[in-house]
Amino acid sequence: MSHALDVLSLEFFQLYDSLAEDASRVEESTTALERARSERDATQSELAMQQNDLQKIRALIKEQQDRIHLITTHWFYGTTLFQPQLWLRGGCTGKKRRAEKKLNVATNEKLPASVASVNESEARLSQKLRIVEEQLRFFEVAANAASEREGMKARAVIENPSNEIRRLQREEAVSISRLKHSKTELESLDTVAVKIGGRQKEHNEAIKFLKKALTHRDRHDVLKNNPVELPRPIDVLRNTEQHETSSEAWLPNGTKSVLIRTKHDHQKHLFRVDKHNRLLMTNSPCPNDCGFLVTWNGTYCCNACASGTGCHGRRCERMPIKSQEGAKAKLSTWKAEQKKRDKDMNAELTSCNQNLEMAKKCMQAADQLGAEALVSIASSVLERHPGSGNSFRHMDHIIATSLRGGCGCSQVESIHQEIAGVERAQGTLTEQVSIVEHLVRLVKDDVERLEQGLLTVQSLEEEESNQIFRRLREQVCCSTASAPPPMNPSFINSEYMATGLQTTAAVPSAPMEEDILVSNVETSSEFTEPRLVEPMPPAATIIETCTVPPRDTRQAMQASHHSQPSTMSRTSYENVPASAPEATIIGASSVPAQQDAIPMVSATLVSATLVPEAETMQLFSC
């Protein structure tokens, strides 16, 4: 409705004032609407609970009715003989009597009370709904009035802007742009912190994988340095502490047979010795897998086989493994253990290499995150804070160490070097985190400063908008009103008015924006608060105007003035036309139409009570 009205019309401001009463009720209507909605929700919850209770009562009534019907009509449920649980409780007759009692209470007492409460809650709910609708209408009226007033005020300012409001709007746009840029920088720093945190996680994972690889490598070396060997028969015979059981038997040929069971593997070891306890034969196979048994040598089948040449000497007994029970089983067990050892060695080596590969991938990912973190920092932040920016740029982001050994070091040593390098990198990351946190604090300070400056500019812009709107209101309202009365009644009743010289105390005309506002050159700072030169209130300002006589009359007056004393006489202005001067009124048509009517502004306030009479009659022209 306000869009059809001209801003510089009286109807526009009358409509604006008429909306004030409704707009002032926004907060009150909001509170009332929230209270009405809360009461409606409470009534709805209470009604839902009452409806639920009513459904339970109706279900109970239906249950008791069905029970009575079954007892009355069904051959099984109506026979007490078939229901042992009723034998001591009055049978089917007692069951029916109890059901009828429950049905009577539910039908005559509970159901009517529940229905009445539901009806009452429904009535209260309908009333609450009407109240909510009414409060919603009030709120919409108030909100629309407030929105309409804001729109009218904004439209008036847009259509009649001042230089100051334009400057403040430009300054606000610059502040918003800088604030947005600073927030973008803050987001980039948050991204950097996330990437550095990811790099720390990758380094921690790399350290875990490296330690696992080192563990697997140590296990591999242990297995490699400790091969599976068959127990030496001579050691088994002599080490009596490892004997679990031992039995001896002399044979007819003068030799002794010894059977020993060991504790750790519970294997049986058979020996045959002579009367001087010299070993003659065992049931242990030769460790060189030559197919013969260990005899007099105690460890191998003969000395030639022990040398590893692959041949046997003349003293070798060459007793086959199958000649002794258990020798073949020992050989199979030994081969199985040897095979298992080789398998474990390969598995440990494979696990070591896999963990090294995983550690390498983690470190590559960490290096990539470090490079991305360096790129993600906005250059403006680094330029604005060069100390922290240069420290962050000069930090090492890449760790290069061979994981396969080399340069005279083993793989275990290279893994140790790699772990030490990653731990050093963790220290560097800690410094980077502290630098990024410092940059975040600095940028947050910048954001707070910009936000404060933006609030200041917006408050100044709001004040300027209010002043523009107030000036427009005064201009429109004063232009449509009658001429205002004199501003100094005591001056009208003074002797100065009795001389015939008519002066008029008029309302000052609207000052120009250049007279009130500071120019743009003086406000070069971004957040400098504009220095407003407050105009003197009309009540404290006296502006005297008089009608200047024509040019020929003025020349005669000037000659007469130079020939007379400095104090001007009252009769020197008798020739001045007695036409009353026009009062200056705020508005577009405030300038008088006469060509020679030049306003003469007094340099002092004229007062009959404070200025002597002789000085009162003197005019100080500007």
Side-chain angles (χ1 to χ4, degrees):
M1 181 171 62
S2 63
H3 296 286
L5 299 176
D6 185 13
V7 174
L8 299 178
S9 63
L10 185 60
E11 292 80 3
F12 181 85
F13 291 97
Q14 289 177 350
L15 176 61
Y16 182 84
D17 294 337
S18 65
L19 296 173
E21 184 177 0
D22 292 335
S24 63
R25 298 194 182 108
V26 172
E27 184 176 357
E28 179 182 356
S29 59
T30 302
T31 305
L33 180 60
E34 291 178 354
R35 183 171 60 252
R37 285 178 174 175
S38 62
E39 293 177 356
R40 179 202 60 187
D41 296 338
T43 305
Q44 286 179 345
S45 301
E46 183 180 358
L47 178 60
M49 294 176 60
Q50 292 174 354
Q51 289 176 347
N52 189 18
D53 295 339
L54 180 60
Q55 290 179 359
K56 291 180 179 179
I57 293 172
R58 287 175 176 173
L60 177 63
I61 292 174
K62 182 68 169 55
E63 179 184 358
Q64 300 304 324
Q65 288 176 351
D66 294 341
R67 182 172 297 173
I68 293 172
H69 179 71
L70 286 175
I71 295 173
T72 305
T73 60
H74 201 275
W75 66 271
F76 180 81
Y77 293 104
T79 305
T80 307
L81 181 63
F82 299 146
Q83 302 181 56
Q85 70 275 11
L86 301 177
W87 290 351
L88 301 178
R89 299 181 63 190
C92 293
T93 305
K95 182 178 180 181
K96 182 179 179 181
R97 186 169 55 251
R98 290 190 296 271
E100 289 175 350
K101 183 177 179 181
K102 291 180 182 179
L103 179 62
N104 186 22
V105 172
T107 304
N108 299 328
E109 297 179 7
K110 295 183 178 179
L111 183 61
S114 180
V115 171
S117 62
V118 168
N119 293 334
E120 181 183 359
S121 297
E122 288 178 350
R124 286 192 291 109
L125 179 61
S126 61
Q127 182 181 2
K128 297 297 182 183
L129 291 175
R130 286 194 300 271
I131 294 175
V132 168
E133 292 178 358
E134 183 179 358
Q135 294 298 331
L136 183 60
R137 286 196 299 270
F138 291 159
F139 172 76
E140 290 177 353
V141 171
N144 292 335
S147 177
E148 184 72 15
R149 280 170 60 88
E150 291 295 329
M152 294 174 69
K153 184 177 179 181
R155 177 189 166 200
V157 174
I158 291 174
E159 293 183 3
N160 300 274
S162 63
N163 293 333
E164 179 66 13
I165 199 69
R166 292 192 184 99
R167 184 187 68 81
L168 290 174
Q169 287 174 353
R170 291 193 298 269
E171 192 169 343
E172 181 184 9
V174 172
S175 299
I176 291 175
S177 176
R178 292 182 178 179
L179 181 60
K180 184 178 180 181
H181 183 65
S182 296
K183 289 183 177 180
T184 304
E185 293 176 347
L186 190 60
E187 292 177 357
S188 67
L189 289 176
D190 293 338
T191 304
V192 171
V194 171
K195 291 184 181 297
I196 293 179
R199 189 183 180 195
Q200 286 181 328
K201 291 182 179 179
E202 294 294 338
H203 279 177
N204 291 332
E205 293 295 325
I207 291 176
K208 290 181 181 179
F209 286 125
L210 288 173
K211 290 183 177 180
K212 288 182 179 179
L214 187 61
T215 301
H216 290 296
R217 183 66 188 186
D218 292 339
R219 292 176 181 175
H220 171 269
D221 294 342
V222 169
L223 292 174
K224 183 179 180 181
N225 297 329
N226 296 279
V228 178
E229 296 180 353
L230 282 172
R232 296 175 59 189
I234 191 65
D235 295 336
V236 173
L237 183 61
R238 293 175 180 175
N239 192 2
T240 58
E241 295 179 357
Q242 296 296 329
H243 297 174
E244 183 179 4
T245 59
S246 178
S247 59
E248 299 179 355
W250 288 95
L251 300 177
N253 57 1
T255 60
K256 183 172 62 174
S257 177
V258 181
L259 182 61
I260 299 174
R261 182 188 294 271
T262 55
K263 294 180 180 180
H264 65 281
D265 54 3
H266 303 288
Q267 288 187 353
K268 294 180 180 180
H269 300 273
L270 181 62
F271 303 94
R272 194 171 64 184
V273 297
D274 57 6
K275 59 182 179 179
H276 301 289
N277 285 330
R278 289 179 297 189
L279 188 61
L280 299 178
M281 188 187 67
T282 66
N283 63 344
S284 299
C286 182
N288 288 335
D289 197 14
C290 60
F292 299 134
L293 296 174
V294 176
T295 54
W296 53 268
N297 184 270
T299 304
Y300 296 92
C301 60
C302 61
N303 293 333
C305 187
S307 62
T309 57
C311 57
H312 298 270
R314 291 178 295 178
R315 294 183 57 191
C316 182
E317 298 288 344
R318 291 181 174 84
M319 297 185 64
I321 294 175
K322 59 182 180 180
S323 62
Q324 288 292 333
E325 182 181 359
K328 191 173 182 180
K330 285 184 179 181
L331 183 61
S332 300
T333 303
W334 173 69
K335 287 184 177 181
E337 291 179 353
Q338 195 173 23
K339 186 177 181 180
K340 182 178 179 299
R341 166 187 168 268
D342 296 339
K343 183 179 179 180
D344 292 341
M345 287 177 57
N346 294 331
E348 295 293 339
L349 186 60
T350 303
S351 299
C352 176
N353 294 331
Q354 290 178 353
N355 283 280
L356 290 177
E357 291 295 331
M358 295 297 295
K360 183 178 179 181
K361 291 180 181 180
C362 290
M363 284 185 288
Q364 290 176 353
D367 294 339
Q368 183 178 0
L369 288 173
E372 292 177 357
L374 181 61
V375 175
S376 299
I377 297 182
S379 59
S380 57
V381 178
L382 301 179
E383 292 173 358
R384 197 161 61 248
H385 308 287
S388 302
N390 293 331
S391 300
F392 190 84
R393 283 172 174 171
H394 295 160
M395 287 184 177
D396 187 16
H397 294 272
I398 300 175
I399 304 170
T401 304
S402 175
L403 297 176
R404 300 296 180 184
C407 298
C409 63
S410 63
Q411 188 178 22
V412 175
E413 294 176 352
S414 66
I415 293 174
H416 283 292
Q417 293 176 3
E418 187 69 16
I419 292 174
V422 176
E423 289 177 350
R424 287 194 301 270
Q426 287 290 75
T428 304
L429 287 180
T430 304
E431 297 179 3
Q432 289 181 356
V433 169
S434 63
I435 292 174
V436 171
E437 290 178 352
H438 181 63
L439 288 175
V440 168
R441 287 193 297 270
L442 293 177
V443 175
K444 283 184 177 180
D445 293 340
D446 295 341
V447 170
E448 292 178 359
R449 178 178 58 83
L450 291 173
E451 288 178 348
Q452 187 65 29
L454 180 60
L455 292 176
T456 303
V457 172
Q458 289 176 347
S459 63
L460 293 175
E461 186 178 354
E462 182 67 21
E463 293 177 2
E464 181 64 19
S465 300
N466 294 334
Q467 291 182 6
I468 293 174
F469 193 78
R470 188 163 52 250
R471 287 200 297 267
L472 291 174
R473 176 194 286 273
E474 293 175 356
Q475 178 181 349
V476 172
C477 295
C478 292
S479 63
T480 57
S482 60
M487 301 301 294
N488 194 350
S490 62
F491 177 71
I492 297 176
N493 299 327
S494 64
E495 295 179 2
Y496 189 72
M497 294 296 294
T499 61
L501 182 61
Q502 297 180 1
T503 60
T504 304
V507 178
S509 60
M512 301 298 289
E513 293 176 350
E514 291 77 11
D515 299 333
I516 298 177
L517 305 178
V518 182
S519 62
N520 295 335
V521 179
E522 297 178 5
T523 58
S524 59
S525 176
E526 177 183 357
F527 299 110
T528 303
E529 186 173 349
R531 296 180 288 112
L532 300 180
V533 181
E534 295 291 341
M536 185 177 295
T541 306
I542 299 296
I543 301 178
E544 296 182 1
T545 60
C546 65
T547 305
V548 180
R551 290 183 175 84
D552 53 354
T553 307
R554 288 203 305 269
Q555 293 176 0
M557 291 173 60
Q558 289 175 359
S560 172
H561 174 70
H562 288 295
S563 64
Q564 293 179 0
S566 59
T567 303
M568 300 179 66
S569 174
R570 298 182 182 179
T571 59
S572 62
Y573 290 92
E574 293 178 355
N575 297 327
V576 178
S579 59
E582 295 183 1
T584 303
I585 302 175
I586 298 176
S589 61
S590 63
V591 181
Q594 298 180 6
Q595 180 180 2
D596 294 332
I598 302 174
M600 307 296 289
V601 182
S602 176
T604 59
L605 299 179
V606 180
S607 175
T609 59
L610 299 179
V611 184
E613 181 178 359
E615 296 179 1
T616 305
M617 304 305 298
Q618 186 177 1
L619 295 176
F620 298 95
S621 302
C622 61

